[in-house]
Amino acid sequence: MAEASQSHNRYAEAGLKTGWTIPQEWRSYTREEHDRWSRLVARQEKLLPGRACDAFLEAKETLKLPSHSIPDFEMLSDRLSRLTGWRIAPVAGLIPDDVFFDCLANRRFPAGAFIRSERELDYLSEPDVFHDVFGHVPLLADPVYARFLEAYGKGGQRAMQRGQLHNLARLYWYTVEFGLIRSRDGLRIFGAGILSSPGETIFSLTDTSPNRIAFDLIRIMRTKYVISDYQQSYFVIESFEQLLDQCYQDFGALYDRLQAARDVEPYEILSDDRVITTGDMRYFQSRH
Ligand code: HBI
Ligand code: FE
């Protein structure tokens, strides 16, 4: 997520001048921008029933996430905060790690206020309003997920002090962004990076290429990731309770163990992994 976005971003300067949270200025979105939101939402809503986890689909209804216009963050925050206390903080793009963690620790979700350009409809490297609000915000209405993400934010300071942010960032990557969850009817998606991508929505659940491996905290924190392509391994949680339970602990001892452990490549399977599907890696081989 480090590449500079080439889309026109009317907030870029405001962010630099006034701190990291900026006014959303909802009235300044153009008809084209609202229309782009509508098309992105429609495309995902066609794909997500039976693929996204129930908690996500239900929360999207409970929050009345608008389908035809970019949400007003204040209005949406008012509904969300009544449920779990979380609010949405408009930002211009990526913010520094310490600011990001501080937001999460205080139940503030930093969300890009700008929307991707027409050229970037399928993929962009910076988090925009569609990725952040459509992808991330609904699950913040789930009380258990809400506590997990707050705990993650609180863990950030500690990881930074220890120089092990890369380990913690991998947890975020393989759960909050690209996580799968088991349901009675098979695997479902909860990661926002998948939920905001039509291609990866299908790929992550049904393609024969990637590995799908049961969630294991330390294993995930050892696993490197590639940012600009589909994942070579997806990790599957049992429930948000499991996620919260595993992460609601002092990571000090984990970090000590991680220092002694080697990194794992994104495609690797380890002997004690609980493997759900072993990928044939066809997609990734064709990309070389
Ligand atoms: N800023 N706006 C924004 N969104 C992110 O997801 C984000 C960020 N800054 C830092 C950051 N993520 C990473 O440090 C974490 O994912 C670990
Ligand atoms: Fe994200």
Side-chain angles (χ1 to χ4, degrees):
M1 295 251 233
E3 260 171 72
S5 165
Q6 280 156 39
S7 64
H8 171 71
N9 184 339
R10 71 169 83 98
Y11 301 100
E13 281 190 16
L16 292 174
K17 284 183 194 142
T18 61
W20 297 101
T21 299
I22 57 162
Q24 185 190 14
E25 296 186 282
W26 187 82
R27 286 177 191 290
S28 71
Y29 293 118
T30 63
R31 282 228 328 238
E32 288 73 20
E33 288 177 315
H34 287 302
D35 178 65
R36 206 171 299 144
W37 167 275
S38 302
R39 284 180 285 128
L40 286 162
V41 170
R43 184 165 73 169
Q44 277 317 86
E45 284 190 336
K46 229 183 279 169
L47 297 176
L48 292 183
R51 295 196 174 94
C53 66
D54 287 344
F56 176 88
L57 296 170
E58 284 162 19
K60 212 158 54 58
E61 298 304 313
T62 311
L63 289 172
K64 300 188 174 65
L65 199 72
S67 307
H68 298 293
S69 58
I70 296 170
D72 178 323
F73 288 9
E74 276 299 304
M75 274 171 57
L76 190 56
S77 293
D78 288 345
R79 287 199 285 274
L80 178 61
S81 64
R82 262 179 252 129
L83 299 167
T84 58
W86 275 84
R87 298 192 71 86
I88 304 157
V91 294
L94 285 172
I95 59 177
D97 293 332
D98 59 328
V99 182
F100 181 72
F101 288 121
D102 189 58
C103 283
L104 300 186
N106 292 289
R107 296 203 177 197
R108 292 285 178 282
F109 191 81
F114 74 101
I115 189 157
R116 64 194 64 187
S117 72
E118 208 61 44
R119 282 190 301 108
E120 296 168 307
L121 227 49
D122 294 335
Y123 178 80
L124 83 170
S125 56
E126 284 226 317
D128 74 335
V129 64
F130 181 69
H131 169 78
D132 278 337
V133 175
F134 184 91
H136 284 287
V137 166
L139 282 181
L140 298 174
D142 181 279
V144 180
Y145 188 91
R147 288 178 60 201
F148 159 70
L149 206 60
E150 178 191 348
Y152 179 86
K154 289 183 169 148
Q157 309 299 348
R158 179 70 179 281
M160 288 178 77
Q161 284 158 10
R162 292 199 45 143
Q164 288 186 272
L165 190 57
H166 59 287
N167 294 124
L168 192 68
R170 290 168 182 169
L171 171 63
Y172 192 89
W173 188 261
Y174 284 115
T175 59
V176 176
E177 295 293 356
F178 294 99
L180 301 180
I181 184 167
R182 212 190 281 276
S183 84
R184 263 174 274 106
D185 308 312
L187 300 185
R188 294 287 184 270
I189 302 160
F190 78 95
I194 309 177
L195 293 168
S196 54
S197 158
E200 198 154 5
T201 293
I202 305 295
F203 181 87
S204 64
L205 291 178
T206 57
D207 202 276
T208 56
S209 298
N211 303 317
R212 299 178 186 85
I213 305 170
F215 175 89
D216 179 296
L217 184 57
I218 198 156
R219 161 42 156 127
I220 287 179
M221 291 175 112
R222 291 172 60 193
T223 310
K224 299 197 274 187
Y225 57 82
V226 177
I227 62 166
S228 54
D229 203 347
Y230 298 153
Q231 302 307 302
Q232 291 171 277
S233 295
Y234 295 91
F235 290 90
V236 181
I237 65 168
E238 292 295 323
S239 63
F240 296 138
E241 283 81 4
Q242 176 199 26
L243 197 55
L244 175 63
D245 192 61
Q246 292 276 305
C247 299
Y248 207 81
Q249 58 163 311
D250 186 338
F251 280 8
L254 276 180
Y255 289 140
D256 290 340
R257 281 173 62 195
L258 283 162
Q259 280 184 336
R262 71 167 176 91
D263 282 349
V264 176
E265 296 300 326
Y267 50 82
E268 261 186 271
I269 288 186
L270 305 182
S271 59
D272 45 8
D273 280 343
R274 281 173 298 135
V275 178
I276 297 160
T277 56
T278 302
D280 62 22
M281 297 291 148
R282 275 174 65 165
Y283 167 81
F284 305 102
Q285 277 150 15
S286 74
R287 307 271 291 174
H288 283 168

